Amino acid sequence: MTMRLDYLSIFPGYFDVLDISLLGKAVDNGLVEVHAHDLRDWTHDRHRTVDDTPCGGGAGMVMKPDPWGEAFDGIIGIEPDPSVHVIFPTPSGIPFTQSAAQELSTVERVVFCCGRYEGIDHRVIDYARTMWTVHELSLGDYVLNGGEVAALAITEAVVRLIPGFMGNPESLAEESFSPGQERLLEYPLFTRPVSWRGMDVPEVLMSGHHGRIAEWRREESLLLTRDRRPDLTD
Ligand SMILES: N#Cc1c(-c2ccc3ccn(Cc4ccc(CN5CCCCC5)cc4)c3c2)n[nH]c1N
């Protein structure tokens, strides 16, 4: 299966980065195909206007619905198709989680709608919901200037789960937040040299005793999780 990823944005250049690293390899291997689109290509005025003042007043500008609607018609089509998943990154979205990434990794087509300014006219989202499967997602409780960075983060979390993408799929199963895994933070990692600037790799990791190593790693994960993410231990 090839996953098709479309990105709608006034800064399509953000997505040039998808041509490099592992994601570039996934494109070369035909696992994913990436299409970035400039929303301004669906404007008709000299200034290629995509925003206007908010109805009801308030700070900043709101993205006009017209360019989005015409872009949807051109990129996705005018017939409803629930198999198309349209993602609106937004500060008011549902927190994006590993389980959401897992679900999205099985989808054949994802369209990211990257807003800017104060956001997108809500009718765009309402329209999309009549046509496709819509996800309003947030990366976390901090404020970005637009949806592009969130789209990139969601893309990486999803694509790495596509079967055949990662060299050793076993490593995926071990990761914290993976399905079936206890919700624990990962233990500290070490590699050679054994001694570095007066600091040594913990002896147990050099013992070759797999049972003790597993026990040490679990204990370290429990301590770290209790300290940094007590919410995961509920
Ligand atoms: N994913 C994700 C995000 C985003 C994100 C995603 C998409 C867009 C599109 C535009 N912006 C900028 C922006 C910033 C602040 C506000 C807040 N409101 C402003 C108006 C009055 C009420 C409050 C809105 C829009 C975006 C931010 N931020 N943080 C995440 N985890």
Side-chain angles (χ1 to χ4, degrees), residues 7-14 36-52 61-72 75 114-117 145 148:
Y7 301 84
L8 250 177
S9 164
I10 57 172
F11 298 121
Y14 260 87
H37 312 272
D38 187 342
L39 182 69
R40 293 188 194 277
D41 289 349
W42 283 277
T43 61
H44 306 291
D45 64 305
R46 193 156 57 93
H47 298 293
R48 309 183 85 205
T49 308
V50 293
D51 63 314
D52 200 342
M61 301 295 274
V62 174
M63 299 192 89
K64 295 164 55 68
D66 328 55
W68 288 97
E70 292 191 27
F72 286 162
I75 295 167
C114 303
R116 279 274 154 169
Y117 305 100
N145 286 332
E148 288 80 5

Side-chain angles (χ1 to χ4, degrees), residues 182-201:
E182 233 181 329
R183 286 152 48 97
L184 292 177
L185 299 184
E186 258 135 32
Y187 45 79
L189 297 172
F190 300 86
T191 185
R192 285 179 287 272
V194 171
S195 195
W196 177 73
R197 294 191 178 188
M199 294 177 282
D200 295 348
V201 171

Side-chain angles (χ1 to χ4, degrees), residues 89-91 115-119 137-140 142-147 150:
T90 170
R116 279 274 154 169
Y117 305 100
E118 300 306 327
L137 300 176
S138 169
L139 274 198
Y142 42 84
V143 181
L144 301 170
N145 286 332

Side-chain angles (χ1 to χ4, degrees), residues 11 17 40 55 62 78 97 111 114 120 139 146-147 161 166 222 226 229:
F11 298 121
V17 71
R40 293 188 194 277
C55 295
V62 174
I78 56 174
T97 61
V111 179
C114 303
I120 303 171
L139 274 198
L161 297 176
M166 292 290 277
L222 284 167
R226 219 171 283 149
R229 291 293 304 276

